[in-house]
Amino acid sequence: MTVPTGLTSGTWSFDPAHSEVGFSVRHAGISKVRGSFKDVDASLAVGSSLEDSAITVTIKTASFSSGDENRDGHVKSADFFDVEQFPEMTFVSTSHAGSGESYTITGDLTIRGITKSVTLEADFNGVAVDPFGTTRAGVSASTTISRKDFGLTWNAALEAGGVLVGDKVTISIEAEFVAPVAATV
């Protein structure tokens, strides 16, 4: 399968200033809480075909932020991410499929030392040259995982029934990559 139009071969670097890795999870069965990670590094190695291409992502778990210091501290604790013992989570793609704007990216997601295969539904948003002459590519992707599959099992029962934190976590990614230097000339 061919790579998306405009992506040149080489390693595209992640632009954290124009990207976000976030998630949402049901809280008390009535609303969703959102959070994001501020320290993310990724690379997009584009080969001559989709099969020859790869995406790798490393996220510092201590960079989690939800806008509430108490919640952030709890999520960073051993009850959830245990950032002292597991300072990083990673994603390494294993296969890619699709064409045009719609793709699936399957890979190994590791959280708390537990690795599971996940598939992201991805939209290739195109390639553009910014006003400074830098070639950029954009990707939006999402998936839903079971947090229990990754050892994130802490919870509290609610008086009326149910639990405080839902099991299903939706991961949302907005990523911008910068072309290899040779491709911007």
Side-chain angles (χ1 to χ4, degrees):
M1 286 180 257
T2 60
V3 297
T5 302
L7 286 182
T8 56
S9 293
T11 301
W12 291 61
S13 58
F14 184 70
D15 180 356
H18 297 101
S19 301
E20 182 178 70
V21 176
F23 68 88
S24 65
V25 64
R26 181 82 49 201
H27 178 260
I30 59 170
S31 66
K32 289 186 179 178
V33 170
R34 299 179 193 295
S36 63
F37 296 91
K38 304 302 179 195
D39 191 349
V40 178
D41 189 28
S43 68
L44 169 62
V46 178
S48 58
S49 68
L50 281 180
E51 293 84 359
D52 296 331
S53 300
I55 298 170
T56 59
V57 181
T58 301
I59 298 170
K60 301 292 185 184
T61 53
S63 73
F64 169 79
S65 175
S66 70
D68 181 276
E69 286 185 37
N70 289 331
R71 178 174 43 234
D72 294 354
H74 189 206
V75 171
K76 293 175 187 179
S77 78
D79 284 343
F80 290 95
F81 287 130
D82 195 357
V83 301
E84 296 298 321
Q85 186 173 348
F86 303 102
E88 296 179 341
M89 64 177 80
T90 60
F91 176 82
V92 178
S93 66
T94 55
S95 67
H96 316 87
S99 63
E101 295 177 3
S102 299
Y103 292 84
T104 57
I105 304 167
T106 300
D108 294 329
L109 176 63
T110 302
I111 302 173
R112 287 183 59 111
I114 298 170
T115 302
K116 299 284 183 183
S117 179
V118 300
T119 299
L120 296 120
E121 298 297 324
D123 292 328
F124 177 65
N125 300 325
V127 174
V129 178
D130 69 20
F132 308 102
T134 303
T135 301
R136 299 171 172 278
V139 177
S140 300
S142 65
T143 192
T144 300
I145 63 169
S146 163
R147 65 185 184 90
K148 292 176 187 172
D149 286 349
F150 294 93
L152 300 166
T153 58
W154 182 91
N155 225 326
L158 298 174
E159 193 174 298
V163 291
L164 186 62
V165 183
D167 179 48
K168 299 298 178 193
V169 178
T170 300
I171 300 169
S172 302
I173 302 160
E174 292 296 330
E176 214 172 277
F177 292 91
V178 175
V181 175
T184 61
V185 178

